[in-house]
């Protein structure tokens, strides 16, 4: 596609991404795969030519090296850079954003009030926390907005966020909890799957098979929670026969502190999110 695929026709793009890292690629992949907007109506900026070329080839989107180009030419702009460079990037694009642009952020710790202060003028802001399963259109995203964003605009943003999974409007005060329970939690689940697979390998199962069995079991268990509406404890009880193998495993997990470890990890995650 080449660099000619960038804005050159003067037409507004539907969705822009400032930054094209893992989270941006997860979101772009979901948006493109869902058919919500044509790939040519998505514009992403990235510093390196290699990243831009890869994004063009993989997703068929337009790219640019200029962050301001994205801010000026897109209806919805996602700030998908690392949290530590948010102040620098916002200072760069602030004057390029007008009162019609809807800005979507994905950085933990940056409250709506802090973001408004960084922009220095009235802007439409939607603060979100997506997660990487967006890559397979199974993401979970929380969102909250400032008063400048209309209900119709919020519905449009939720449609974008729902194109790669599920999206829910929440009070901003819950956002740090969201970082812990969905934003960062895929990493905890991957650790759990890896540990399960290691144990299966220890018992003689080939590693590719072990990963498949462990991952499918986690996927199926999660689907049971979502689709049956039953309490996780009830579903756990259904698997635990008297004096059986499962309750023996549950006993050991309780003894080793699985639940308390998860709770403490998530509390630490939420506290860290406040300090970013």
């Amino acid at each position: 596609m080449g660099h000619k695929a960038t804005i050159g026709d003067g037409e507004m793009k539907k969705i822009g991404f400032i930054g094209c890292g893992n989270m941006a690629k997860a979101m772009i992949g979901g948006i493109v795969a869902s058919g919500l907007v044509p790939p040519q109506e998505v514009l992403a900026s990235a510093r390196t030519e290699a990243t831009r070329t890869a994004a063009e080839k993989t997703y068929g989107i337009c790219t640019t090296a200029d962050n301001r180009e994205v801010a000026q030419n897109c209806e919805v702009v996602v700030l998908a850079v690392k949290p530590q460079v948010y102040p620098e990037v916002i200072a760069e694009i602030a004057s390029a954003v007008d009162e019609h642009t809807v800005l979507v952020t994905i950085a933990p710790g940056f409250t709506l009030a802090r973001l408004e202060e960084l922009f220095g003028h009235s802007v439409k802001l939607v603060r979100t926390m997506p997660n990487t399963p967006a890559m397979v259109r199974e993401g979970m995203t929380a969102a909250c907005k400032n008063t400048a964003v209309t209900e119709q605009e919020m519905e449009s943003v939720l449609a974008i966020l729902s194109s790669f999974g599920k999206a829910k409007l929440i009070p901003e005060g819950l956002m740090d909890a969201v970082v812990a329970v969905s934003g960062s939690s895929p990493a905890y689940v991957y650790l759990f799957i890896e540990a399960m697979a290691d144990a299966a390998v220890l018992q003689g199962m080939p590693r590719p098979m072990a990963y498949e069995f462990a991952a499918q079991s986690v996927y199926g268990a999660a689907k049971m929670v979502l689709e049956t509406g039953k309490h996780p404890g009830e579903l756990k009880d259904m698997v635990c026969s008297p004096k059986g193998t499962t309750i023996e495993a549950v006993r050991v997990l309780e003894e080793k502190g699985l639940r308390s470890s998860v709770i403490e990890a998530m509390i630490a995650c939420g506290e860290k999110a406040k300090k970013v």
Side-chain angles (χ1 to χ4, degrees), residues 181-265:
V181 77
S182 64
S184 298
S185 65
Y188 328 151
V189 178
Y190 299 144
L191 281 173
F192 185 56
I193 290 171
E194 187 177 28
M196 290 173 65
D198 282 347
V201 169
L202 185 63
Q203 296 175 78
M205 184 177 284
R207 185 162 291 278
M209 184 185 295
Y211 283 135
E212 182 181 5
F213 271 77
Q216 179 61 36
S217 295
V218 170
Y219 178 79
K223 196 169 184 179
M224 287 279 285
V225 173
L226 292 171
E227 295 193 1
T228 66
K230 293 182 183 295
H231 189 283
E234 182 181 357
L235 293 169
K236 179 263 295 178
D237 289 350
M238 289 167 57
V239 193
C240 294
S241 303
K243 291 189 176 182
T245 54
T246 307
I247 194 63
E248 182 67 16
V250 168
R251 178 189 68 79
V252 175
L253 289 172
E254 293 287 8
E255 179 186 327
K256 300 297 183 182
L258 174 68
R259 281 200 257 198
S260 61
S261 295
V262 171
I263 290 169
E264 291 302 317

Side-chain angles (χ1 to χ4, degrees), residues 36 76 102 104 126 143-145 149-163 167-169:
L36 182 69
V76 176
V102 179
V104 178
V126 178
C144 59
K145 70 181 185 68
V149 179
T150 67
E151 293 300 321
Q152 185 175 1
E153 287 168 337
M154 191 65 226
E155 286 179 12
S156 296
V157 172
L158 286 173
I160 293 169
L161 300 176
S162 298
S163 72
K168 199 171 188 68
L169 194 61

